[in-house]
Amino acid sequence: MYDLSTPKSPTIRLTDEQVAFYHENGYLRIEQISVPEELEALRAIYDRLFEQKAGRERGQQFDLAGSDEDDAVAKLPQILDPSSFAPEMRNTYIWANAKQICRQLEDQEDPGIGDHAILKPAGYGAPTPWHQDEAYWSPNFHYRSMSIWVPLQDADERSGCLAFMPGSHKGHVVPHRQIGGDPRVHGLEIDPDANVDFSGAVFCPLPAGGCTVHHNRTMHYAPPNVGDQPRRAWILGTGGPATELETPNDYYWQKAWATARQERASKA
Ligand code: NI
């Protein structure tokens, strides 16, 4: 059995070129931040949490892409804070290296980490549409956050690796809407009326245990999983402290949310 009883130390250190690349482009690809035995252990934990529907009654597990009623089969199931159900996930090289990445990219001594898990079932035919993560967040703050996206098996364009728009983190959050314009859906997409040109997108295929890092404003996308294996992604969010804005941003699309998840969470 792989030992997940004590925290690991980081095994990577970013080069000056990698740090500069992140700040210039808003994303970074890192070949490896884990080891095979750790990935095997994590896949088992991950599959168990989804099978057991961990956190569903509290609104911590829900369908990112469908209407998410109780009898519906989840199209794109997500768990918020999976490590709260399996704290040993925090004793991984992935966790230690995520802190190291944040230390170097945002100059944080001991950064906090929040995590989520997005499972893209085998043969799932919908993409994760283009979006900026900040579009989901409170409009009252300025963020210096990053998402560290780790596939627990190989990920390429056929199985739903991420694609980024280089430099898009330097602009504003553009208008978003619920996927397909359906307010019952939690997932957001950049509003087609915003006419953003995505032709410069860069795809980042990764081996299991590699990662991409992206800034809270970097536009990103994941294609459908047309492969025959589930695509398990574990995403660690970290960064510097958010600072309150004098004039909040107008993220008006957040007012349209009317999801079954919100209803479960407000009843719990
Ligand atoms: Ni995202």
Side-chain angles (χ1 to χ4, degrees), residues 116 118 128-129 131-133 136 147 149 162 214 218 220-221 235:
H116 64 286
I118 304 180
T128 306
H131 66 279
Q132 294 164 289
D133 291 338
Y136 285 88
S147 291
W149 189 93
L162 291 189
H214 66 267
T218 306
H220 56 288
Y221 161 89
I235 301 116

Side-chain angles (χ1 to χ4, degrees), residues 128-199:
T128 306
W130 282 102
H131 66 279
Q132 294 164 289
D133 291 338
E134 192 184 324
Y136 285 88
W137 302 350
S138 165
N140 300 325
F141 296 93
H142 171 76
Y143 300 96
R144 303 160 49 191
S145 295
M146 66 191 75
S147 291
I148 300 170
W149 189 93
V150 188
L152 302 183
Q153 67 296 301
D154 297 351
D156 60 16
E157 278 187 52
R158 279 178 52 80
S159 62
C161 71
L162 291 189
F164 302 101
M165 282 301 292
S168 53
H169 66 305
K170 292 179 177 171
H172 293 287
V173 175
V174 303
H176 282 64
R177 65 172 196 175
Q178 282 71 25
I179 295 173
D182 182 346
R184 293 173 306 162
V185 177
H186 177 76
L188 296 173
E189 63 184 2
I190 291 176
D191 195 319
D193 290 342
N195 289 315
V196 178
D197 176 10
F198 296 112
S199 56

